[in-house]
Amino acid sequence: MPSTLVRDKSSEGAPQSSMGRGPVSEATSSAQPLRILRSFFRTLILVGLLSTAALDGLIRKRFFGMRVGPEGAVWVHRWCRRIVHVLGIGCTVEGSLPRVKPDECGLAVVSNHLSYLDILLYSAATPFIMVSKTEVRGWPLLGWITAQAGTIYVERADVAGGQKQTHAEVNAAMAVAFRSGLPVLFFPEGTTTDGNGILPFRRGLFNSVVYDSVPVRTAALRFTLTQSNPGASIGNDVCFVGDAEFAPHIFTCLGLRGIQANIRFGEQVPGEDRFALAANSREEVIRLYEELAQR
């Protein structure tokens, strides 16, 4: 049976938007002022929650000895649940939650990647050690908060394709995360998409999985809009893709009604090397993602 983090039952059965934008209509124009008001109100709430979380974290670190890593990840998990609830984002979770078994040397979980909301939602589902692009570390409030969970910040390849981090450096950071006792979540597509498909999986981080003989499980995340949002779409206003800028995008996203996220966790996937693991994981994520579309 699927578990529910947050569900807005009043919105069930309402129309769902398509992946693309429709023509602008009078309904769209009349809805804009209310949407902007919601955006402004929820932005203030989000900034307030993040500021409160950061203050809470500082107090816990200073006076109660909260440590970066698993303890911080549990703290982040609790705050993410609060934030998802207050922002009115519905989230259902299906499948068994990933847990590191006593006889395992760690656990990796791989998923498709759609938005900055992904980390918030997965962290609300269960405590994770996350793998993120290094730019996130410098984001106000969010950077500090994610760092408390022991997040691994990976530098992207430069324009010429050269690596800024060696495999040894990444393997060492991943090994520490695998020994934390919490599952390690990463997004092998290497970027976000508009939800119309799953990109080929990059094999880089699978090298760390093979190196430490860590089992891999899969997960898939899909967004829907359960209420009418004239002129808006999942692909443009919830998914964070292309040249979109973070601040204006999240402001628009927070103005939407009826954002529903559905997460489904899969089982362990086989693979003797990083090539097989990447290919098999992608096939399983595609299957899970398609199943979510049929819900």
Side-chain angles (χ1 to χ4, degrees), residues 16-21 114-115 193-196 222-226 229 232-241 249 253 256 258-260 289:
Q16 186 174 299
S17 75
S18 62
M19 298 302 297
R21 293 187 185 276
L114 301 171
S115 171
T193 73
D194 63 2
N196 280 319
R222 181 181 282 271
F223 289 105
T224 58
L225 289 174
T226 61
N229 291 274
S233 70
I234 294 294
N236 288 295
D237 302 296
V238 179
C239 297
F240 183 61
V241 294
H249 188 277
C253 182
L256 300 178
I259 297 178
Q260 174 70 35
Y289 190 68

Side-chain angles (χ1 to χ4, degrees), residues 53-257:
L55 179 60
D56 176 55
L58 287 170
I59 292 172
R60 289 176 183 272
K61 286 173 69 70
R62 176 66 177 84
F63 297 104
F64 301 99
M66 185 180 77
R67 291 173 293 183
V68 171
E71 188 177 354
V74 173
W75 171 78
V76 169
H77 160 67
R78 291 168 180 163
W79 270 103
C80 285
R81 288 183 67 91
R82 294 186 185 105
I83 292 171
V84 168
H85 174 72
V86 172
L87 293 182
I89 301 173
C91 183
T92 61
V93 179
E94 304 174 10
S96 60
L97 293 175
R99 296 283 187 266
V100 179
K101 298 177 182 178
D103 60 341
E104 293 177 338
C105 52
L107 176 64
V109 179
V110 298
S111 170
N112 62 310
H113 198 13
L114 301 171
S115 171
Y116 42 77
L117 294 176
D118 300 358
I119 292 178
L120 173 68
L121 292 161
Y122 273 116
S123 291
T126 191
F128 277 106
I129 303 295
M130 299 282 185
V131 179
S132 177
K133 62 182 182 179
T134 192
E135 292 91 334
V136 174
R137 184 67 181 89
W139 290 0
L141 296 175
L142 288 172
W144 187 87
I145 291 171
T146 58
Q148 305 316 301
T151 298
I152 302 168
Y153 299 102
V154 178
E155 295 183 9
R156 294 178 174 178
D158 61 26
V159 176
Q163 293 295 323
K164 294 184 178 181
Q165 289 173 306
T166 66
H167 287 306
E169 290 172 334
V170 176
N171 285 343
M174 293 290 284
V176 171
F178 289 142
R179 293 194 297 268
S180 70
L182 292 179
V184 178
L185 175 68
F186 63 94
F187 304 100
E189 290 174 290
T191 187
T192 52
T193 73
D194 63 2
N196 280 319
I198 309 295
L199 296 177
F201 279 7
R202 299 182 180 183
R203 298 183 291 270
L205 292 176
F206 286 101
N207 182 68
S208 300
V209 171
V210 174
Y211 186 82
D212 288 296
S213 301
V214 172
V216 178
R217 284 184 59 183
T218 54
L221 169 66
R222 181 181 282 271
F223 289 105
T224 58
L225 289 174
T226 61
Q227 297 187 44
S228 176
N229 291 274
S233 70
I234 294 294
N236 288 295
D237 302 296
V238 179
C239 297
F240 183 61
V241 294
D243 298 326
E245 296 183 7
F246 178 72
H249 188 277
I250 194 171
F251 184 81
T252 299
C253 182
L254 289 174
L256 300 178
R257 300 185 303 167

